[in-house]
Amino acid sequence: MDTDVLIVGAGPTGLMLANQLARRGLRAEIVDRHSGPATQTRALGVQARTLEIYEKLGIAKRAVKLGKTGTGANIWAQGRHMARVPLGEAGKAATPYPYILILGQDDNERLMGERLRELGRSVQWNTELVALEQQRDKVTATLKQADGTRRKAVAGWVAGCDGARSAVRELSGITFPGAAYEHVFFVADAELTGTMVPDEVNLYLFREGFHLLFPMRGKNHWRIVGILPPEMRGRDDVAFEEVIPTLRHEAGDELSFKSCSWFSTYRIHHRAAVHFRERRCFLLGDAAHVHSPVGAQGMNTGLQDAYNLGWKLALVIQGRADAALLDSYEGERLPIAQRLLRTTDRGFRLAVSDSRFAGLLRTKILARIAAIAMSQQWIQEFAFRTISQIGIHYRGGPLSQSLGGLPDGAPQAGDRFPWLKLKFKTDGSVEDLFEKLDDTRFNLIVIGQTLPTAARLGLGDLLHAHILPNDPINDQELALVKIPRLAFYLLRPDGHVGLCGTRLEAAKVARYLGERLRLAKPVDVTKLA
Ligand SMILES: Cc1cc2nc3c(=O)[nH]c(=O)nc-3n(C[C@H](O)[C@H](O)[C@H](O)COP(=O)(O)OP(=O)(O)OC[C@H]3O[C@@H](n4cnc5c(N)ncnc54)[C@H](O)[C@@H]3O)c2cc1C
């Protein structure tokens, strides 16, 4: 075997997976057919959940320093400012990153690439996957190199992070149903001044469509996204200057353009692979799902795919879990992709529909509804949780088990465990729970009880236990998220709740680890089972 995992594609998804495997000391080879990192900005919005993962990777500070924090979105209709969606306030209690970070995909890839090099790994550029052959216990890949020669690489597993035209998907015979929207998008990175609220997202709605302006790094730099006017749709030679009149028409004559560093037009597809796994090959990121850019979810969803698969692959390759654990990757991530496709599709159709009714809805009704809705705190919080991806859960998924006894409002199995500030020692100070969680292990949070003795002895190096002392600060913080005074939460390495309940019984934990997680040696707590 040449490598444990062959990662095909060094876009954001592949780089995230390579990092997750490298930090766990696994042998993974990452290849890309391009000659070097992408220079186009492409995706621009980094969501809070991604930043939480970046924190564990050690690149969150660098990302925040490099990017621009978007704390609000402004909705304009026919030249009038209709509503402001305060992104920051709504997420303040929920995440250390209560905003959308405006940071180009190229910068994200650079940060992840640098981190990968710090971990002693690097991308093999000019290396294209051209054939795959699956055997019972390995996959043989044929890679075409820069000089045109081909070499074979034998890997335990293959991760297809190779984008919308994925070779891994095609060579694995996985279909990719869906369609292209009839509308053609344009995207421009430009220097301009105008009515836009500085440093915030500005959405201009009008009868025929919308224009979205994202603030970029530097003074007066904006990313503009919109749909091409119908008369330009069939052309592939449209220049930025040609869309300026429609921009001015809708966003005001005050718009003054200085320069444009990137302009591109593209058609958008909405598709999801029917499976995310074919025996030893996986699909992640755009290889598994593509959708409209509504909500800046694309790149972030690929990063979450990689974070979900990374720890599972590591456990299986290290021989600590049965390969059946890997079935849960599709079980958890496919429904997320399908749900995302449905919601972005609905939002997108409303945003681009040419019908007169949709035009009226956009400019007269939607903007007003948004203005009223966004004055409600719970709607702001719901919107933040959804867009920031911190609300993504695997409830009902194959690895989620709630033992009962917890109130309805408390975190349940499958949820991302909430961000809390807690005391971990009676005489200690208040600490950030997310900083304490070790995402290379399972974390067991024990409330109002001690660990069963045998479990304490036998948790091994796979589990990190956090036994919370009785303390008024802890009571208050836990009450805010409806966690009762007697409870336990077993978190998976990715921070989602695997098993939870009230009274911690070692036998039940052991059963969960063995039956659901398929741990080969469900640590020593089995002695109690
Ligand atoms: C113009 C444009 C604007 C966009 N704007 C946004 C946005 O605002 N917000 C958002 O969230 N998303 C946006 N997206 C989508 C976002 O860019 C993607 O969701 C994201 O790039 C997916 O990352 P990925 O790593 O899965 O795939 P990719 O970034 O496509 O990376 C795939 C990699 O695989 C490599 N590869 C392909 N085939 C092979 C092979 N056979 N062998 C070896 N290597 C191979 C490619 O060279 C590439 O480097 C935009 C996309 C485009 C095109």
Side-chain angles (χ1 to χ4, degrees):
M1 200 88 74
D2 298 317
T3 183
D4 290 324
V5 186
L6 173 68
I7 301 172
V8 184
T13 307
L15 288 168
M16 173 59 86
L17 184 64
N19 269 291
Q20 293 304 331
L21 298 177
R23 18 195 324 249
R24 291 168 169 87
L26 295 172
R27 288 186 308 154
E29 194 177 328
I30 175 167
V31 300
D32 198 292
R33 70 189 163 103
H34 284 150
S35 57
T39 50
Q40 289 178 339
T41 330
R42 298 214 282 169
L44 204 60
V46 183
Q47 302 293 355
R49 183 64 189 137
T50 297
L51 289 168
E52 291 174 1
I53 294 169
Y54 278 3
E55 171 78 47
K56 293 289 170 202
L57 205 53
I59 59 172
K61 281 193 185 67
R62 275 185 260 174
V64 172
K65 196 166 166 211
L66 209 56
K68 210 164 191 161
T69 49
T71 48
N74 297 273
I75 301 175
W76 301 73
Q78 295 181 309
R80 280 182 53 212
H81 187 266
M82 303 293 289
R84 179 177 182 275
V85 182
L87 295 170
E89 283 304 308
K92 250 184 181 158
T95 172
Y97 305 97
Y99 44 76
I100 179 168
L101 184 76
I102 313 287
L103 182 70
Q105 185 170 327
D106 50 346
D107 283 328
N108 282 275
E109 291 180 16
R110 190 164 50 76
L111 290 177
M112 283 190 275
E114 279 169 12
R115 186 74 190 107
L116 191 62
R117 279 192 295 281
E118 285 164 13
L119 292 165
R121 314 286 202 278
S122 55
V123 177
Q124 290 171 46
W125 299 105
N126 287 314
T127 308
E128 179 179 2
L129 174 84
V130 290
L132 270 181
E133 195 194 325
Q134 291 222 32
Q135 284 111 347
R136 197 187 55 79
D137 56 350
K138 59 182 187 263
V139 189
T140 304
T142 307
L143 301 171
K144 194 170 130 199
Q145 302 170 112
D147 59 3
T149 57
R150 292 169 184 231
R151 72 171 168 96
K152 302 260 185 211
V154 180
W157 306 90
V158 170
C161 305
D162 47 350
R165 296 206 178 100
S166 168
V168 174
R169 191 184 62 233
E170 305 222 328
L171 293 166
S172 301
I174 301 175
T175 53
F176 200 38
Y181 293 105
E182 59 172 301
H183 295 83
V184 179
F185 260 75
F186 71 82
V187 51
D189 289 348
E191 196 183 339
L192 65 149
T193 53
T195 52
M196 301 80 73
V197 176
D199 299 332
E200 299 203 340
V201 177
N202 286 265
L203 171 65
Y204 291 88
L205 298 169
F206 50 96
R207 286 270 170 97
E208 290 78 31
F210 73 94
H211 290 138
L212 193 55
L213 275 79
F214 284 96
M216 292 180 72
R217 201 169 54 225
K219 198 164 175 247
N220 299 328
H221 280 96
W222 295 86
R223 153 72 58 87
I224 310 169
V225 180
I227 42 171
L228 277 189
E231 64 277 12
M232 295 182 202
R233 273 181 207 164
R235 293 175 40 201
D236 55 10
D237 60 348
V238 179
F240 179 58
E241 289 68 31
E242 293 179 79
V243 300
I244 289 182
T246 119
L247 281 165
R248 280 227 173 89
H249 182 61
E250 307 308 336
D253 288 337
E254 301 92 324
L255 278 194
S256 168
F257 294 90
K258 293 214 174 72
S259 62
C260 174
S261 57
W262 180 49
F263 179 75
S264 181
T265 59
Y266 59 103
R267 286 193 74 184
I268 290 177
H269 293 247
H270 52 116
R271 298 175 184 278
V274 287
H275 289 294
F276 283 10
R277 177 183 179 190
E278 164 53 30
R279 289 174 288 159
R280 293 186 160 264
C281 294
F282 295 89
L283 299 179
L284 302 85
D286 275 20
H289 44 75
V290 287
H291 33 80
S292 87
V294 168
Q297 304 289 301
M299 178 178 74
N300 294 277
T301 306
L303 296 175
Q304 310 292 331
D305 289 343
Y307 199 53
N308 183 290
L309 183 61
W311 66 269
K312 296 174 182 173
L313 263 179
L315 284 180
V316 171
I317 292 166
Q318 288 159 347
R320 307 192 77 161
D322 188 276
L325 171 65
L326 298 171
D327 292 339
S328 67
Y329 168 67
E330 175 176 309
E332 291 183 340
R333 295 304 296 175
L334 188 80
I336 299 289
Q338 286 171 335
R339 200 175 316 137
L340 184 63
L341 236 71
R342 280 195 300 275
T343 43
T344 52
D345 184 49
R346 257 183 253 134
F348 184 72
R349 284 184 193 283
L350 183 63
V352 300
S353 170
D354 291 333
S355 82
R356 192 174 145 69
F357 173 70
L360 280 174
L361 194 66
R362 258 193 311 268
T363 53
K364 301 273 183 228
I365 304 169
L366 194 73
R368 286 210 176 92
I369 292 179
I372 296 165
M374 286 306 160
S375 62
Q376 306 285 318
Q377 197 184 341
W378 72 270
I379 296 182
Q380 284 177 22
E381 284 171 6
F382 175 77
F384 181 82
R385 290 183 67 76
T386 307
I387 295 171
S388 68
Q389 302 199 338
I390 63 171
I392 284 182
H393 64 79
Y394 306 128
R395 285 189 190 188
L399 304 185
S400 307
Q401 188 181 9
S402 293
L403 293 175
L406 294 169
D408 278 350
Q412 301 293 328
D415 292 356
R416 155 194 167 278
F417 194 78
W419 177 53
L420 301 173
K421 307 259 183 51
L422 296 164
K423 270 188 162 186
F424 293 84
K425 287 193 193 116
T426 315
D427 53 355
S429 54
V430 175
E431 293 180 80
D432 180 326
L433 171 69
F434 279 15
E435 282 174 17
K436 299 282 286 185
L437 295 180
D438 178 350
D439 75 335
T440 61
R441 307 185 200 187
F442 292 86
N443 289 272
L444 182 62
I445 301 175
V446 183
I447 300 149
Q449 55 199 312
T450 54
L451 274 182
T453 317
R456 193 190 301 146
L457 288 174
L459 286 176
D461 65 342
L462 211 54
L463 277 165
H464 191 141
H466 309 268
I467 301 143
L468 301 186
N470 284 330
D471 186 280
I473 291 180
N474 286 352
D475 291 349
Q476 205 181 348
E477 190 75 354
L478 294 168
L480 283 177
V481 290
K482 310 256 181 333
I483 295 179
R485 288 181 177 204
L486 182 73
F488 78 93
Y489 284 89
L490 176 65
L491 312 190
R492 307 144 30 137
D494 60 7
H496 284 263
V497 179
L499 178 74
C500 57
T502 48
R503 170 75 55 197
L504 173 61
E505 291 173 49
K508 288 192 174 153
V509 176
R511 199 165 303 130
Y512 170 81
L513 295 173
E515 290 174 7
R516 293 255 183 166
L517 283 179
R518 310 299 300 256
L519 290 198
K521 270 194 226 149
V523 295
D524 291 349
V525 281
T526 44
K527 285 180 186 152
L528 285 187

